[in-house]
Amino acid sequence: MSNEFPAGVNRRNLLKLTAAAGMVAGAGILTSRTAFAGEEFSLKGKRIGISTAGTDHFFDLQAYNAQIEEVKRLGGEPIAVDAGRNDGKLVSQLQTLIAQKPDAIVQLLGTVSVIDPWLKKARDAGIPVLTIDVGTTNSINNSTSDNWAIGKDLALQLVSDIGGEGNIVVFNGFYGVTPCAIRYDQLVNVIKYFPKVQIIQPELRDVIPNTVQDAFTQITAILNKYPEKGSIKAIWSAWDIPQLGATQALTSAGRTEIKTYGVDGSPEVLQLVADANSPASGNVAQQPAELGRTAIRNVARHLAGGTLPRESYVPALLANKENVGEISKKLGIG
Amino acid sequence: MSVDTSYLSPPLDGSLPSARRSADTPKPALSRKLAVVALRQGSLAVFIGVLVYFSIAAPFFLSVGNIGNVLGQSAIAGVLAIGLTVVIIAGGSNVVTGGIDLSLAANMGLSAAVYASLVQAGHGDVVAVLGALGTGLLIGAVNALAITLAGIVPLLATLAVMNVVAGLELVLTQNTVVPASTEFLSTLSASGPFGIPVLAYVLLGFTALATAVVQYTPLGLRLYAVGEFPEAARAAGLRVKAFIAGAFLASGLCGGFAGILSVSYLSGSTTGAGDMLLPVVVTALLGSVFSRRLVPTIGGTLLATLFVSFLINGFQLLNISSTLVSGVQGLLILLVVSATTLLQRKGSQ
C-alpha cells in the first residue's frame, strides 16, 4: 500500500487536520448538547418519578441507572423506586409516586394488565406518563427497541442455523409483557414459512425468580424426554436468563448440538455466544442504558412543550458466533 | 367485655402461672413486668418516633392522601396477618409447636386465581366472590382436618398444604397473569370518601369486626384460653380441637378474602403470592409487642402491619434505595422480635 498522499497534504498535515476537525466537531457537539441541556431539554426544578418492575437483570439495571443519571445530568430530581419483581410492590410504589405529583413518571417494564390502571390514574391526575418497553395507550411515548425487528432477526438466525427444519423448544412464560409477546409472535410468523420447524408442545414457562435454576431443571427434563441427538434442534426464549439456564443444562448433559437463542445481551450470555464450544448461538443485544437516556430526554422535550412520537426506537444488535466480539465492543462490555 | 386475661399472668410457654412463683421470687416477676411495659411503651414510642421523623423529613408523609394510600396498601397483608393472629391465639404463640398457618399466602394466591379465572370464564362477581371465599374455606378445612384429626403439627401440616395450594395455582394459571376487570373490582380499587382508597376502609372495617369478635366476646376469651392453657380449657369443658379447627377455618376464609382484595389491587391474579408469607408471619409475631402482655391481639397486628407499611412508605418518600429498605426493615424486626423472645424466656425461668 502506498504511503503517498495528494500533493500538499502529507501524513503529518493530515493528522493535524483530522485532529483540528475532530476538535471543532467535538466542540460543536458539546455546544449543541449544552445548549439543548441548558435550554430546550433542561429538567431543572423538575421531579421525575422513575419506576421499575425490578433491577435484577442486566437490562433493567442499566436502563434504571441510566435514567437516574440522565435526570440528574439535566438538572432534575429523580424519585426512583424499584419494585424488586413484586407486582404488589410495583402498584404500591406507583400509588405513592402519583400521590407525590411529580412532573412526570417513567415506567420501566411491568405486566401491562397490572400497571395500566395505575398509569391511567397518573394520567388522569395530570401527570405525564412515559414508558420503556411497556405498550399502553396511557403512555405519551414508549422508548423501546424495535421488538418486531428483534423477533424477526432472532427467528431468522435460528431457522438459518438449524437448516430450516427440526423441533424447537420455546420458553413463553411472559406473553403478558409486551416485548416478549412481540418477539414470540415474530418467531411464529417466521416459522410459519418453514413448515418443517415445529415448536414442541407444551411450551415451557419461564419464571421469576430463580429463572436460571428453573430453566436448567425444565430443559434437563425435556432432554430426558427427547434423548436422541437431533430430536431437538434449538431452544428459544424471549430474554436471555432462561437462555443462560438452558445453555448450562445442555452443556451439563453433553447435548451441545442443540443451539440456544435469547434477547438482551447480558454480558454472561454474550461470553457464552463467544465460546465456540457453547450451545449459545444467537442473542439480540439491546442498548438498555441508551433506552433509559432516550426516555428521560423525551420527558425533557415533552415538559418543554415539544411533541413526541408514539414510540422511540433504539437500535438493537444481533450477535452470533461470527460477530459477537464486535458487538460486545460496541456495547462496551467486550 | 374486653378479653384480657392478664389477671391470670400466665407465662407464654404454658408453664406454671407466674403468680405462684412470684411469691417466692418477686423481683424477677417485677423486673419482667417492667421490661414488658418498657418494651410495649418503647415499641409505641418507636412507632410514633418513626412517624414523627418521616413527617419532618418528608412533608408529604403526613398528608391525608398518603396515609390513605398506606392504609390501602396494607389491606391485603393486614387481612392475612389478622387471619394468622387468630390461629396463633388459638394454637399458642410457640411458632414451632403452636399455632401457625404457612399456607395463608398461597391460599390468597389460589383464591385470587380462582376469582380471576371465573371472571375470565364469563362468570359474574357473585360467583367469583363465592369461588374465592369457598377456596379459602376449603384450604382452611384441609388444614383443620390435618391438624385436629390426623394430629400433624401445624407447622408441617400447613407447610404441606402450602405446597399443594401453590402447585394448584400454577396448574390453574400456568404461572401467568390472569387479568380480571369488573365493576366490583373497580369499586374496590377506587378511592372512597375523602379521597382515601376503598381498600383502606375495608381494612379498618375488617379489623373492627375481627377485634369485636376476638377481643370482646366469650368466643374470643375461649380462644385465648385454648391457646394459652389447653389443659385448663379442656378441664373446663371447652372443645379444644373444635376451637383450633375453627381458627384454621377463619384463617382460610381470611386467605380467600385477601385473594379478592388482591385481584382488585392487581387487576387480576399474578404470580409470586408466596412472597407475602414471611412478611405476614413477621407482622403477626411483631404485633405482640403492641399488646399489654406481649400476646397476639388483633389491634396489635393492625399496628404492626401499619408500622411496616409506614416504614416502607417513608423510605420511598425519602428516596432511599429499596435495597436498603429491606435491610433496615429486617433489622428493626429482628430487634423487636429478639427483645420479645428474651423477655418471654426471662419470664419462663
PDB file of all heavy atoms in Angstrom, chain A residues 314-329:
ATOM      1  N   VAL A 314     -34.617   2.470  19.758  1.00  0.00           N
ATOM      2  CA  VAL A 314     -33.165   2.462  19.927  1.00  0.00           C
ATOM      3  C   VAL A 314     -32.670   1.171  19.268  1.00  0.00           C
ATOM      4  O   VAL A 314     -33.212   0.097  19.531  1.00  0.00           O
ATOM      5  CB  VAL A 314     -32.788   2.495  21.430  1.00  0.00           C
ATOM      6  CG1 VAL A 314     -31.296   2.273  21.623  1.00  0.00           C
ATOM      7  CG2 VAL A 314     -33.204   3.825  22.036  1.00  0.00           C
ATOM      8  N   PRO A 315     -31.668   1.278  18.390  1.00  0.00           N
ATOM      9  CA  PRO A 315     -31.260   0.090  17.635  1.00  0.00           C
ATOM     10  C   PRO A 315     -30.806  -1.053  18.532  1.00  0.00           C
ATOM     11  O   PRO A 315     -30.194  -0.845  19.572  1.00  0.00           O
ATOM     12  CB  PRO A 315     -30.077   0.595  16.794  1.00  0.00           C
ATOM     13  CG  PRO A 315     -30.201   2.074  16.790  1.00  0.00           C
ATOM     14  CD  PRO A 315     -30.888   2.461  18.058  1.00  0.00           C
ATOM     15  N   ALA A 316     -31.122  -2.267  18.086  1.00  0.00           N
ATOM     16  CA  ALA A 316     -30.648  -3.481  18.762  1.00  0.00           C
ATOM     17  C   ALA A 316     -29.670  -4.197  17.823  1.00  0.00           C
ATOM     18  O   ALA A 316     -29.712  -4.001  16.606  1.00  0.00           O
ATOM     19  CB  ALA A 316     -31.813  -4.388  19.100  1.00  0.00           C
ATOM     20  N   LEU A 317     -28.793  -5.001  18.389  1.00  0.00           N
ATOM     21  CA  LEU A 317     -27.716  -5.607  17.594  1.00  0.00           C
ATOM     22  C   LEU A 317     -27.748  -7.125  17.730  1.00  0.00           C
ATOM     23  O   LEU A 317     -27.684  -7.656  18.843  1.00  0.00           O
ATOM     24  CB  LEU A 317     -26.360  -5.077  18.091  1.00  0.00           C
ATOM     25  CG  LEU A 317     -26.269  -3.547  18.241  1.00  0.00           C
ATOM     26  CD1 LEU A 317     -25.107  -3.159  19.146  1.00  0.00           C
ATOM     27  CD2 LEU A 317     -26.123  -2.895  16.874  1.00  0.00           C
ATOM     28  N   LEU A 318     -27.866  -7.811  16.606  1.00  0.00           N
ATOM     29  CA  LEU A 318     -27.898  -9.283  16.632  1.00  0.00           C
ATOM     30  C   LEU A 318     -26.467  -9.828  16.732  1.00  0.00           C
ATOM     31  O   LEU A 318     -25.632  -9.601  15.853  1.00  0.00           O
ATOM     32  CB  LEU A 318     -28.568  -9.821  15.365  1.00  0.00           C
ATOM     33  CG  LEU A 318     -28.500 -11.337  15.173  1.00  0.00           C
ATOM     34  CD1 LEU A 318     -29.267 -12.076  16.273  1.00  0.00           C
ATOM     35  CD2 LEU A 318     -29.039 -11.739  13.806  1.00  0.00           C
ATOM     36  N   ALA A 319     -26.206 -10.546  17.824  1.00  0.00           N
ATOM     37  CA  ALA A 319     -24.884 -11.161  17.998  1.00  0.00           C
ATOM     38  C   ALA A 319     -24.970 -12.648  17.694  1.00  0.00           C
ATOM     39  O   ALA A 319     -25.891 -13.331  18.160  1.00  0.00           O
ATOM     40  CB  ALA A 319     -24.410 -10.957  19.432  1.00  0.00           C
ATOM     41  N   ASN A 320     -24.033 -13.128  16.877  1.00  0.00           N
ATOM     42  CA  ASN A 320     -23.951 -14.563  16.627  1.00  0.00           C
ATOM     43  C   ASN A 320     -22.500 -14.997  16.798  1.00  0.00           C
ATOM     44  O   ASN A 320     -21.650 -14.202  17.200  1.00  0.00           O
ATOM     45  CB  ASN A 320     -24.500 -14.914  15.238  1.00  0.00           C
ATOM     46  CG  ASN A 320     -23.830 -14.101  14.149  1.00  0.00           C
ATOM     47  OD1 ASN A 320     -22.642 -13.777  14.240  1.00  0.00           O
ATOM     48  ND2 ASN A 320     -24.595 -13.760  13.106  1.00  0.00           N
ATOM     49  N   LYS A 321     -22.208 -16.240  16.493  1.00  0.00           N
ATOM     50  CA  LYS A 321     -20.852 -16.760  16.729  1.00  0.00           C
ATOM     51  C   LYS A 321     -19.801 -15.946  15.955  1.00  0.00           C
ATOM     52  O   LYS A 321     -18.667 -15.827  16.406  1.00  0.00           O
ATOM     53  CB  LYS A 321     -20.779 -18.231  16.297  1.00  0.00           C
ATOM     54  CG  LYS A 321     -21.577 -19.189  17.175  1.00  0.00           C
ATOM     55  CD  LYS A 321     -20.874 -19.441  18.490  1.00  0.00           C
ATOM     56  CE  LYS A 321     -21.607 -20.509  19.297  1.00  0.00           C
ATOM     57  NZ  LYS A 321     -21.143 -20.549  20.700  1.00  0.00           N
ATOM     58  N   GLU A 322     -20.189 -15.395  14.808  1.00  0.00           N
ATOM     59  CA  GLU A 322     -19.219 -14.703  13.968  1.00  0.00           C
ATOM     60  C   GLU A 322     -18.927 -13.271  14.447  1.00  0.00           C
ATOM     61  O   GLU A 322     -17.787 -12.828  14.442  1.00  0.00           O
ATOM     62  CB  GLU A 322     -19.706 -14.638  12.507  1.00  0.00           C
ATOM     63  CG  GLU A 322     -19.572 -15.949  11.744  1.00  0.00           C
ATOM     64  CD  GLU A 322     -20.583 -16.989  12.191  1.00  0.00           C
ATOM     65  OE1 GLU A 322     -21.749 -16.609  12.440  1.00  0.00           O
ATOM     66  OE2 GLU A 322     -20.218 -18.176  12.326  1.00  0.00           O
ATOM     67  N   ASN A 323     -19.975 -12.569  14.870  1.00  0.00           N
ATOM     68  CA  ASN A 323     -19.773 -11.126  15.122  1.00  0.00           C
ATOM     69  C   ASN A 323     -19.828 -10.736  16.587  1.00  0.00           C
ATOM     70  O   ASN A 323     -19.826  -9.559  16.928  1.00  0.00           O
ATOM     71  CB  ASN A 323     -20.814 -10.315  14.342  1.00  0.00           C
ATOM     72  CG  ASN A 323     -22.216 -10.492  14.916  1.00  0.00           C
ATOM     73  OD1 ASN A 323     -22.414 -11.258  15.844  1.00  0.00           O
ATOM     74  ND2 ASN A 323     -23.183  -9.797  14.345  1.00  0.00           N
ATOM     75  N   VAL A 324     -19.888 -11.719  17.505  1.00  0.00           N
ATOM     76  CA  VAL A 324     -20.143 -11.377  18.914  1.00  0.00           C
ATOM     77  C   VAL A 324     -19.051 -10.482  19.511  1.00  0.00           C
ATOM     78  O   VAL A 324     -19.336  -9.609  20.339  1.00  0.00           O
ATOM     79  CB  VAL A 324     -20.361 -12.662  19.750  1.00  0.00           C
ATOM     80  CG1 VAL A 324     -19.115 -13.537  19.788  1.00  0.00           C
ATOM     81  CG2 VAL A 324     -20.785 -12.309  21.167  1.00  0.00           C
ATOM     82  N   GLY A 325     -17.799 -10.682  19.079  1.00  0.00           N
ATOM     83  CA  GLY A 325     -16.711  -9.851  19.599  1.00  0.00           C
ATOM     84  C   GLY A 325     -16.925  -8.394  19.248  1.00  0.00           C
ATOM     85  O   GLY A 325     -16.813  -7.503  20.103  1.00  0.00           O
ATOM     86  N   GLU A 326     -17.279  -8.173  18.019  1.00  0.00           N
ATOM     87  CA  GLU A 326     -17.515  -6.809  17.532  1.00  0.00           C
ATOM     88  C   GLU A 326     -18.697  -6.165  18.273  1.00  0.00           C
ATOM     89  O   GLU A 326     -18.625  -5.011  18.695  1.00  0.00           O
ATOM     90  CB  GLU A 326     -17.821  -6.921  16.030  1.00  0.00           C
ATOM     91  CG  GLU A 326     -17.975  -5.624  15.309  1.00  0.00           C
ATOM     92  CD  GLU A 326     -18.515  -5.880  13.881  1.00  0.00           C
ATOM     93  OE1 GLU A 326     -18.282  -6.989  13.318  1.00  0.00           O
ATOM     94  OE2 GLU A 326     -19.172  -4.977  13.385  1.00  0.00           O
ATOM     95  N   ILE A 327     -19.775  -6.946  18.446  1.00  0.00           N
ATOM     96  CA  ILE A 327     -20.965  -6.414  19.131  1.00  0.00           C
ATOM     97  C   ILE A 327     -20.637  -6.074  20.587  1.00  0.00           C
ATOM     98  O   ILE A 327     -21.033  -5.017  21.098  1.00  0.00           O
ATOM     99  CB  ILE A 327     -22.118  -7.461  19.099  1.00  0.00           C
ATOM    100  CG1 ILE A 327     -22.523  -7.780  17.668  1.00  0.00           C
ATOM    101  CG2 ILE A 327     -23.314  -6.988  19.930  1.00  0.00           C
ATOM    102  CD1 ILE A 327     -23.213  -6.684  16.935  1.00  0.00           C
ATOM    103  N   SER A 328     -19.900  -6.972  21.241  1.00  0.00           N
ATOM    104  CA  SER A 328     -19.540  -6.719  22.650  1.00  0.00           C
ATOM    105  C   SER A 328     -18.744  -5.431  22.777  1.00  0.00           C
ATOM    106  O   SER A 328     -18.930  -4.660  23.726  1.00  0.00           O
ATOM    107  CB  SER A 328     -18.738  -7.894  23.210  1.00  0.00           C
ATOM    108  OG  SER A 328     -19.527  -9.052  23.225  1.00  0.00           O
ATOM    109  N   LYS A 329     -17.834  -5.209  21.829  1.00  0.00           N
ATOM    110  CA  LYS A 329     -17.032  -3.977  21.861  1.00  0.00           C
ATOM    111  C   LYS A 329     -17.947  -2.763  21.710  1.00  0.00           C
ATOM    112  O   LYS A 329     -17.803  -1.760  22.416  1.00  0.00           O
ATOM    113  CB  LYS A 329     -16.002  -3.991  20.737  1.00  0.00           C
ATOM    114  CG  LYS A 329     -14.697  -4.666  21.137  1.00  0.00           C
ATOM    115  CD  LYS A 329     -13.689  -4.591  20.024  1.00  0.00           C
ATOM    116  CE  LYS A 329     -12.536  -5.545  20.319  1.00  0.00           C
ATOM    117  NZ  LYS A 329     -11.703  -5.787  19.127  1.00  0.00           N
TER     118      LYS A 329
END
